[in-house]
Amino acid sequence: MKTLTLKEIAKAVNGSIITGNDQAEITGVSTDSRTVKKGDLFIALIGARSDAHDYLPQVAKAGAKAVIVSDREKTLELLKDEDVTAILVEDTLQALLDLGGYYLRSLGLKHVIGVTGSVGKTSTKDFLGGVLNEKFRTVCSTKNHNSVYGLPLCIFELDPEAEAAVLEMGITDRDSMSKLADMVGPEAAVISNIGISHLEYFPEEKREGILKAKLSVTRYFSDDSVLAINCDNDILHELDLEERAIKGRLLKVGTEPGNDFVISDIRDKGVDGIEFSLTYEQKTYNICLGVPGAHNALNGSLAIALGVNYGLTMEEAIRGLENTQITEHRLDVKEVRGIKIIDDSYNAAPDSMKSAMNTLMSTPVPENAKHVAILGDIGELGSEREAGHRAVGEYAFAKRIGTVLAIGKDSKYIFDGWMDAALARGHRLKKVNEMPLILMDEDTGCSVEYFDSIDMVINGVRDHIEPGDCVLVKASHLMGFDRIVARLTEE
């Protein structure tokens, strides 16, 4: 991070210094009292269950040079014997966003691109970063830090020598995308799709509400701006920028003729990746991507489209795509003790669950080995919570996955969806066990098991897996399924 003086920080966040030295400089920013380092600025956020002002003495002892606070009396009391500069603001979260925006602008980047969507944001961000790096020194936001809390902290860590930044922008409530847009002000953006994730924030508007929120990413667009969209998505397919009074133009990507970039002939090679063809300006290119998942043909093509928009040749963009390193826990393939593990434990939506199962079943296993899907709860589905999980169970049955483990309160609907799909097709089901609940399809030999908590699975999960098996692990991040992956990969 570039050093900043406390005087310029106070100005950037519309704050006033109530104690300390305004000429001091800070070398890092933290919102977690446990990670504060010497020379840091600590921003005291107030959450539903905790008030970070209470940790100001610990922050001071850890070596923080300054704090941004909203409680004057508590701050002066807790820091009365400490040599720490305090900057008072009305809202510390807004101060975090204001400072993030100020710092981003201070980098003098040539290009800032926002990436959003219901699923596929992180992979698309990674792909776009890889593509643009062929022409510009490009940096990306890290991991799943796409929220009003996480993205500013990523911005403070960006390489000051960078020329372009690709920033993932997610929804955590109805207004979060607008706040992120105010901070980032992207000149171009990608919307990977509009699904049913985050429906709980839009109970009345449904997917149209999600679309409107995602389109806030364009609020600082100019006539020269570009929005790349997945036109295979039903709601994006109908998008008209002029109708919505949005500046700029659309860059359309999809499998249908008439798009600017047309995808065809997708070949899913399971854990070995995908191959597909991409046609642009009447010329077709073959692309070999080592990243698993047929859906990544669309995510990767969106990245190529924006790369070409920024002056890359198709050959340069494809090279950058094929060399991209993807964020871990996203169809991340590991092999231990002769078992293939597809770690997709980072996040989940009904559509991405189905796509991951396609990858699982496209991966060949030896005779007598099996495919195993360990699936967990999907968050933020709102009124679609039951239907979304049931659809996953129905799809798992249709794919004839050897063993399905459904884990979590909402995943009982995955179990139910699998069971109902089997019964609807006249299959004979046998109850093998009561707790955990296990059903065996006597016609296919496939089975489904239900566990209401991950703790029931951790110790015994390896009993389900044999050498030669291929295992998919997928759930929303809140489920902590990386613990299952860690257990499976233990030597």
Side-chain angles (χ1 to χ4, degrees), residues 403-476:
T403 302
V404 175
L405 276 64
I407 305 166
K409 180 180 178 182
D410 289 342
S411 290
K412 179 58 165 59
Y413 297 126
I414 295 178
F415 179 94
D416 292 342
W418 188 100
M419 177 182 66
D420 291 345
L423 293 173
R425 289 162 179 78
H427 286 230
R428 296 168 299 159
L429 299 182
K430 176 183 177 182
K431 184 181 287 187
V432 178
N433 195 56
E434 189 68 42
M435 185 55 66
L437 189 55
I438 303 176
L439 293 179
M440 173 75 73
D441 183 345
E442 294 187 307
D443 294 309
T444 64
C446 299
S447 64
V448 63
E449 307 182 20
Y450 172 68
F451 304 81
D452 62 8
S453 77
I454 190 174
D455 293 329
M456 297 176 65
V457 178
I458 293 291
N459 291 331
V461 68
R462 285 171 62 159
D463 297 337
H464 289 76
I465 317 299
E466 300 290 340
D469 290 350
C470 185
V471 184
L472 168 68
V473 183
K474 186 164 181 64
S476 284

Side-chain angles (χ1 to χ4, degrees), residues 218-247:
T218 68
R219 65 190 299 169
Y220 292 96
F221 270 24
S222 69
D223 291 337
D224 296 327
S225 293
V226 172
L227 177 64
I229 60 171
N230 163 16
C231 281
D232 282 6
N233 182 258
D234 58 342
I235 197 167
L236 289 174
H237 181 78
E238 305 298 327
L239 182 61
D240 185 315
L241 294 186
E242 186 176 353
E243 199 175 81
R244 292 176 182 265
I246 295 173
K247 293 181 179 180

